[in-house]
Amino acid sequence: MISRHPLGSFNIIGRGGSGKTHQLINLFFCFISSQQGIIPFYLPLNEIHDFHTANCVISALSDYLEVTSAQFKTILQQNSSNILLLLDGMNEVEGAYQNQVIRAIYEILTRYNSRIVLTSRSDHTPQFNSMGYGSS
């Protein structure tokens, strides 16, 4: 199941083994090889290890790219309409940290107006809606 949210973001929800990660990686390579000007960043969410930073997703992406968080925030600010964050496996984030990751994603959506594709085995729309994202 794919659910669309404002700001051009999507959730891909499905059972284990249904091809969510495969689809996300295909999207990554499609945009890398296209001439559309979209800059994709792929992050398996189970690779977030530091939940004590202001934004654990930005911190993990920065580490992944070997830049500082400040540098990655500048990238987001200067290229927000061209950035596509491919965040894989929300269900693989330990339960105690899921709300922190959701808040970090919400901040990226609202502060930087970035587009995000999020995969999970369960729908996290209610958590985003409780923060005002996606509600009218």
Side-chain angles (χ1 to χ4, degrees):
M1 174 176 104
I2 298 177
S3 61
R4 187 174 195 284
H5 293 278
L7 305 176
S9 296
F10 293 87
N11 290 333
I12 300 175
I13 304 159
R15 294 182 316 273
S18 63
K20 300 176 299 296
T21 297
H22 182 76
Q23 285 298 95
L24 218 53
I25 291 170
N26 280 344
L27 274 175
F28 177 83
F29 285 112
C30 283
F31 282 112
I32 285 290
S33 63
S34 78
Q35 300 296 317
Q36 296 180 13
I38 301 296
I39 307 164
F41 293 97
Y42 174 80
L43 176 67
L45 293 175
N46 64 355
E47 294 194 12
I48 296 175
H49 301 293
D50 185 3
F51 294 96
H52 303 296
T53 60
N55 187 309
C56 57
V57 173
I58 287 176
S59 178
L61 283 163
S62 301
D63 291 347
Y64 214 57
L65 296 170
E66 299 180 356
V67 298
T68 67
S69 289
Q71 288 171 320
F72 190 72
K73 287 176 183 178
T74 300
I75 292 168
L76 286 174
Q77 289 169 341
Q78 294 177 351
N79 301 286
S80 65
S81 63
N82 297 350
I83 300 287
L84 176 62
L85 301 179
L86 305 168
L87 306 178
D88 191 23
M90 184 66 193
N91 57 286
E92 295 179 22
V93 175
E94 186 178 326
Y97 298 113
Q98 282 192 357
N99 282 337
Q100 190 169 347
V101 173
I102 288 169
R103 281 191 298 275
I105 293 168
Y106 177 78
E107 178 188 352
I108 293 167
L109 287 167
T110 56
R111 179 176 286 181
Y112 302 102
N113 199 25
S114 294
R115 291 175 283 186
I116 293 176
V117 178
L118 174 70
T119 68
S120 185
R121 291 186 187 169
S122 56
D123 188 358
H124 296 279
T125 302
Q127 290 97 321
F128 284 104
N129 288 345
S130 72
M131 289 183 266
Y133 178 70
S135 58
S136 4

